[in-house]
Amino acid sequence: MSTQHAVDSGLAATTEAVDSLREPMLETAQDLGRPLTQGRSARVNHKKQFSLLVVRGDGARVLRLSFPKRLPLTILVAGVLVAGGFSVVVGDWWHVRQRIRDSASLYQQIDEQRAMIDKFNRRVTELRQEVASWGELHGHIWEAFGPDVAPKNSGTGIGGRATPTERPTGKLSAIAQLDLLAENVIEEGESLRALDKLITRARKALAALPSRWPVRGAVNSEFGNRLSPWTKAPEFHSGLDIAANGGTSVKSPAAGTVIHAGPHSEYGLAVIIDHGQDVRSLYGHLSKINVRQGQTVERGTELALTGNTGRSSGPHLHYEVMVRGQAVNPRAYLWD
């Protein structure tokens, strides 16, 4: 009973407090429909508005805010638009930030590539200078063999040596430098191939030369005119008489083919070797022959043993070199 009584007392007090207001908190429809001349001087149509009423604890009205019904929707739409615009701005900012970050790595790559290109250009310049030095070296090499064997450049050309003022002064691009370097390399390659062929032929010719002494010893009689040991009359000696004890090993001074191995009208037992390139060598006054006709011999192969056969005054080796059938001085070929 006491609780019900307290509630009823509170409700009665609240009713009395609200009824004690000078004017009602909520206006009735009749109040809203009054002409502006009646009551307040500025009445608004509350059907098209929302009102926010602030009341104290004793029921007295403190503040009343009125705003149109469309204002919340307008605020909502504006908030959505602001949020959308903000999200677009944030998205663009994030995209720009990522692009800037990517651009930083791209700039680094560009710097590395630029450094690589500069290094490449310097290297190409060094290679061009090296290839140019090859040309001068090839010129010196071909000069030793003579102009007739030097490779001929294709096509015809005119002109002379360019003076420093006539040379191009503009900086060539990397592609132009590569093209020029490729042309120089091709030209030098052709010259090298021609030189290789010439050296191959020269190697064969050098290998065919009887450049080694067949026996080691003093020369008793040189190539050329001399007095005959028997008649004391002048005669032509077509080889070298090399002193050697009987039975000394005679070795081939170069590779070749044995074309004679046996008796000779003037030199007793003799061996003749064809070395190719129209070069032949003869070994006379032998005591024993160790090769046969038609046999292929190498440099250093033992051909025979020295002796005193034929027209000879004592043990020695008659060594003779013939080029195209003509006797020449063997000393011109001996360097080993």
Side-chain angles (χ1 to χ4, degrees):
M1 295 295 292
S2 59
T3 302
Q4 183 65 34
H5 179 73
V7 171
D8 295 338
S9 301
L11 291 175
T14 302
T15 303
E16 292 175 359
V18 172
D19 293 339
S20 63
L21 294 176
R22 295 187 180 92
E23 58 184 23
M25 293 174 59
L26 298 177
E27 297 178 352
T28 62
Q30 290 81 2
D31 295 334
L32 293 176
R34 292 180 203 164
L36 294 177
T37 55
Q38 299 178 1
R40 299 179 181 177
S41 60
R43 292 286 183 177
V44 293
N45 189 357
H46 292 286
K47 291 183 179 181
K48 297 182 179 180
Q49 291 183 348
F50 286 109
S51 296
L52 177 62
L53 183 65
V54 179
V55 181
R56 287 202 310 261
D58 58 358
R61 186 175 64 180
V62 177
L63 179 65
R64 180 177 181 176
L65 298 176
S66 298
F67 49 86
K69 291 183 178 181
R70 294 182 180 180
L71 181 61
L73 180 60
T74 302
I75 294 175
L76 178 62
V77 172
V80 171
L81 293 178
V82 170
F86 181 75
S87 63
V88 171
V89 171
V90 171
D92 291 342
W93 172 81
W94 181 258
H95 181 69
V96 170
R97 186 170 179 270
Q98 292 297 117
R99 293 299 296 269
I100 292 175
R101 183 178 300 176
D102 296 340
S103 299
S105 62
L106 181 61
Y107 288 145
Q108 183 178 0
Q109 293 178 3
I110 292 175
D111 293 338
E112 294 176 355
Q113 292 178 357
R114 184 180 293 111
M116 185 180 299
I117 291 174
D118 294 339
K119 183 177 180 181
F120 170 80
N121 290 335
R122 290 193 299 269
R123 188 57 178 165
V124 168
T125 302
E126 294 174 358
L127 289 177
R128 285 182 56 196
Q129 295 175 354
E130 181 65 20
V131 171
S133 67
W134 292 355
E136 296 178 359
L137 180 61
H138 291 169
H140 292 306
I141 294 175
W142 286 113
E143 183 179 358
F145 290 100
D148 294 337
V149 297
K152 305 298 188 298
N153 294 329
S154 60
T156 60
I158 59 174
R161 198 177 73 134
T163 61
T165 56
E166 294 173 345
R167 298 183 185 275
T169 57
K171 185 176 180 181
L172 297 177
S173 63
I175 300 300
Q177 292 189 34
L178 274 179
D179 293 339
L180 184 58
L181 180 60
E183 293 177 1
N184 293 336
V185 169
I186 292 174
E187 292 177 359
E188 296 304 323
E190 294 177 354
S191 180
L192 281 176
R193 284 187 287 271
L195 184 60
D196 179 66
K197 293 179 181 179
L198 178 61
I199 291 177
T200 301
R201 294 197 300 267
R203 186 185 299 114
K204 293 180 180 178
L206 290 174
L209 295 178
S211 59
R212 181 176 181 177
W213 288 81
V215 295
R216 298 291 180 176
V219 177
N220 296 332
S221 180
E222 294 284 349
F223 173 85
N225 295 324
R226 70 176 183 178
L227 295 177
S228 172
W230 295 276
T231 64
K232 304 302 180 183
E235 68 177 4
F236 178 77
H237 187 228
S238 58
L240 300 177
D241 286 341
I242 305 173
N245 297 326
T248 302
S249 176
V250 179
K251 296 182 179 180
S252 176
T257 303
V258 178
I259 60 174
H260 177 83
H264 191 279
S265 59
E266 294 184 6
Y267 303 115
L269 291 178
V271 173
I272 301 176
I273 299 178
D274 185 357
H275 300 285
Q277 309 296 322
D278 295 326
V279 178
R280 294 181 178 182
S281 60
L282 182 147
Y283 313 85
H285 310 303
L286 304 172
S287 62
K288 181 182 179 182
I289 297 176
N290 297 329
V291 293
R292 66 184 183 279
Q293 185 175 350
Q295 179 181 342
T296 300
V297 296
E298 300 296 333
R299 177 185 172 93
T301 300
E302 185 179 79
L303 303 177
L305 301 178
T306 58
N308 190 29
T309 59
R311 188 169 178 254
S312 173
S313 61
H316 71 284
L317 173 68
H318 175 82
Y319 177 53
E320 186 173 325
V321 176
M322 295 166 286
V323 178
R324 296 180 182 178
Q326 184 68 36
V328 297
N329 191 347
R331 284 189 178 274
Y333 296 90
L334 295 174
W335 64 73
D336 184 8

